[in-house]
Amino acid sequence: MTKRSQLEQHDQQIVSCRKCPRLVEWREEVARVKRKAYKDQEYWGRPVPGFGDPKARVLVVGLAPGAHGSNRTGRQFTGDASGNFLYPALYKAGYTNQPTSESRSDGLVLQDMYITASGRCAPPDNKPSPEELNQCQSYLERELEIIDPKVIVCLGRIAFERILKIYSVRNPVYKFAHGASYPLENGKWVLCSYHPSQQNTSTKKLTVEMFDTIWVKAGELSKRN
Ligand code: SF4
């Protein structure tokens, strides 16, 4: 079975998941009530699978869907402020065919990159509980197994801690810091970045220049032997 068909099978499992009652209720409630600006759109309202190049050397891990972003559009970082900051940077670095990401049918293609998240359902206040993230972990583990990336870029501390947990890393030297990278098993690397949330970008905690360095570094690490 090709990596693509393994991922398609995996995605079907993800989108039908109802393991976390609080999140099922929230994601569906948001999809029912909608934000005024999107009242004519049909919200996705389900878990959001990963997407991208099945043979990617770079895998990006975010936190969880935004209520009116990917919970609305059904694709990672699509239709919200975080995505509006992320995709121009990825385009500049050569990972996408276009700088925008608005809907599942907008023609966006990822090259040598796969984008996924620690949690697949939109959480209230953008905060999944540790138990919910634990419930969801097996989906990320399976993607890592299928794709077998060389570099894992963690957008935010929560994604970084999840990756350390998955790879059973307990080394105190592995600390979250923007731009920090550490070796994992089998020649893999984990690379940390601040999350491109509006809170971080509007306060300049994360600038365009700081974000650009992440994708240059990811490219360098992905080509290392
Ligand atoms: S967060 Fe993950 S485990 Fe929980 S319901 Fe959504 S997809 Fe399932």
Side-chain angles (χ1 to χ4, degrees):
M1 202 191 258
T2 63
K3 286 188 181 213
R4 187 174 296 281
S5 39
Q6 288 179 68
L7 283 170
E8 280 167 8
Q9 216 173 59
H10 181 57
D11 290 351
Q12 280 170 16
Q13 280 188 328
I14 294 175
V15 296
S16 57
C17 182
R18 302 182 70 81
K19 281 194 275 186
C20 307
R22 182 182 84 115
L23 300 185
V24 171
E25 196 184 332
W26 175 253
R27 76 190 191 206
E28 293 179 356
E29 170 75 5
V30 169
R32 228 180 355 259
V33 175
K34 303 181 184 179
R35 180 176 278 172
K36 207 172 163 192
Y38 308 125
K39 68 176 173 30
D40 297 331
Q41 295 184 19
E42 190 173 339
Y43 274 51
W44 177 255
R46 285 175 277 164
V48 179
F51 90 108
D53 181 352
K55 293 184 179 153
R57 285 178 294 186
V58 180
L59 182 139
V60 180
V61 187
L63 172 56
H68 303 280
S70 47
N71 187 55
R72 171 173 61 88
T73 61
R75 195 173 67 189
Q76 299 287 343
F77 286 99
T78 297
D80 62 16
S82 300
N84 292 344
F85 197 86
L86 174 67
Y87 286 105
L90 296 183
Y91 177 69
K92 211 189 297 178
Y95 287 107
T96 70
N97 64 333
Q98 60 186 47
T100 55
S101 175
E102 282 158 18
S103 73
R104 290 198 311 288
S105 57
D106 63 5
L108 176 68
V109 177
L110 298 185
Q111 297 138 1
D112 203 14
M113 178 171 281
Y114 192 85
I115 302 183
T116 186
S118 310
R120 308 313 173 98
C121 292
D125 301 322
N126 286 324
K127 283 193 186 122
S129 70
E131 295 74 26
E132 288 159 350
L133 290 173
N134 287 341
Q135 284 277 21
C136 218
Q137 184 175 308
S138 63
Y139 295 132
L140 178 56
E141 285 175 3
R142 180 71 183 127
E143 284 164 342
L144 289 163
E145 193 180 291
I146 297 170
I147 295 163
D148 192 23
K150 175 88 178 161
V151 183
I152 302 165
V153 181
C154 295
L155 300 180
R157 185 185 299 274
I158 290 176
F160 177 63
E161 286 171 355
R162 191 55 43 183
I163 289 298
L164 295 190
K165 190 166 182 207
I166 289 174
Y167 287 95
S168 305
V169 177
R170 290 188 191 84
N171 188 339
V173 168
Y174 284 48
K175 284 195 170 61
F176 181 83
H178 185 78
S181 58
Y182 307 98
L184 295 171
E185 62 190 39
N186 300 328
K188 294 184 191 304
W189 288 86
V190 61
L191 170 60
C192 305
S193 169
Y194 289 142
H195 190 283
S197 65
Q198 200 165 23
Q199 197 183 358
N200 285 342
T201 57
S202 65
T203 56
K204 304 271 186 243
K205 181 174 181 182
L206 178 63
T207 64
V208 169
E209 294 72 26
M210 285 168 72
F211 210 32
D212 286 347
T213 62
I214 295 296
W215 309 111
V216 171
K217 190 161 181 182
E220 285 168 4
L221 290 172
S222 74
K223 293 178 190 90
R224 272 199 202 173
N225 289 322

